[in-house]
Amino acid sequence: MDSDERFMWVALDLARQGRGKTNPNPMVGAVIVKEGEIAGTGFHLKAGEKHAEIIALEEAGERAQGATMYINLEPCSHYGRTPPCVDAIIAAGMRKVVVAVVDPNPLVSGQGVRKLKEAGIKVKVGVLEDKARRLNEVFFKYITTKTPFVIVKSAMTFDGKIATGGGKSRWITGEKSREFVHRLRSRSDAIMVGINTVLKDDPLLTVRLPGEENGRNPARVIVDSKGRLPLNTKVVSTVPQVRTILATTELAPPAKLADLSAAGLEILMLPLKDEQVDLAALMSELGKMEISMLMVEGGGTLNYSLLEENLIDKVYFFLAPLLFGGRNALTPFEGDGIPTVEDSWIIQDVELKQFENDLLLIGYPARREEIVHRDSGGIGGSIRSAAL
């Protein structure tokens, strides 16, 4: 590993400290190196606050003159919630800037690099680019499509059941797995479920972590085309504490929607598709709300509808060492299914983690005929074991 990669790893590690806090901004870390030693570091903590480059420059002070900055994403060159970082880097007299990946934001996209070069600063782009893209996969999707990065979480037995034939599902996975799910919720901008999940389980859909009782709760999105959401559910009674959005259609009774609106829910009226909420239209509306990461914890009906529309970006599948059996026991994806194996979706770049006795498989679904080689390769990719 050369010195550029070594210091870029430091920048990436710094950037990760902002996970779940910077949305819809990217996670960014910056490292300033002078004569082989780190003179300043910084990471972006929250949208609207100082960027990583500015924090690192402030820490380095005069030592920034003639130094090298390592940053996992191209520095901004436009006025947003904060002034452009490129101007501050130039003013500090940096000698060189090493960038992992160019910012896909049309307002930046190469302009930051160009401005640095025009100022006489050496620029190197592409160091650990694949790692940088994966780190900010949510931002890259959102900033280029204005729709959320959609993840689907499901917990199932070794025989692929998410509930018994009688509908019982608590608890399939262990305590450590459930804690990880709450951490995943805390990083998301919104949690989405279908009306059937609410009617069956009456979930609270909040973040519950040890020592973080007053932590951040993502918004809740209930997909309910016919307005069947009861007023006495937990998601309705806790609306004053947690933003809650009802995604519905003209099939919902106006009087019921008026009652839900009076209870504090945001009513999102959407077009119909096959007598259900048009999910693509829903994604577009959520994007307008600056929901960049959407976590889906619904049942097999909603999951399959999202899969069929190619709206799922990433899956988190927990496998618990249990067997339920039962031809009527529910599975993570229901719907009509596919006619042949050749029509299947492929899970790419699979990563494996373990929480006590549970396994967690993480991957990226794509239709077999639409496979795009993302980052590390072909159909199915390789299975990587990740330390926790």
Side-chain angles (χ1 to χ4, degrees), residues 50-106:
K50 290 179 181 178
H51 287 191
E53 302 96 313
I54 304 303
I55 297 172
L57 286 169
E58 289 178 350
E59 183 177 308
E62 294 182 358
R63 296 193 68 195
Q65 178 77 32
T68 298
M69 175 178 282
Y70 294 85
I71 181 170
N72 61 293
L73 188 69
E74 177 185 14
C76 62
S77 56
H78 67 292
Y79 279 89
R81 293 173 179 171
T82 59
C85 293
V86 166
D87 294 349
I89 294 171
I90 294 171
M94 303 292 297
R95 179 183 65 86
K96 181 180 178 181
V97 175
V98 180
V99 176
V101 62
V102 171
D103 192 332
N105 186 342

Side-chain angles (χ1 to χ4, degrees), residues 98-119:
V98 180
V99 176
V101 62
V102 171
D103 192 332
N105 186 342
L107 296 175
V108 183
S109 196
Q111 296 183 51
V113 168
R114 177 183 56 78
K115 196 168 183 178
L116 291 172
K117 289 180 177 179
E118 289 174 352

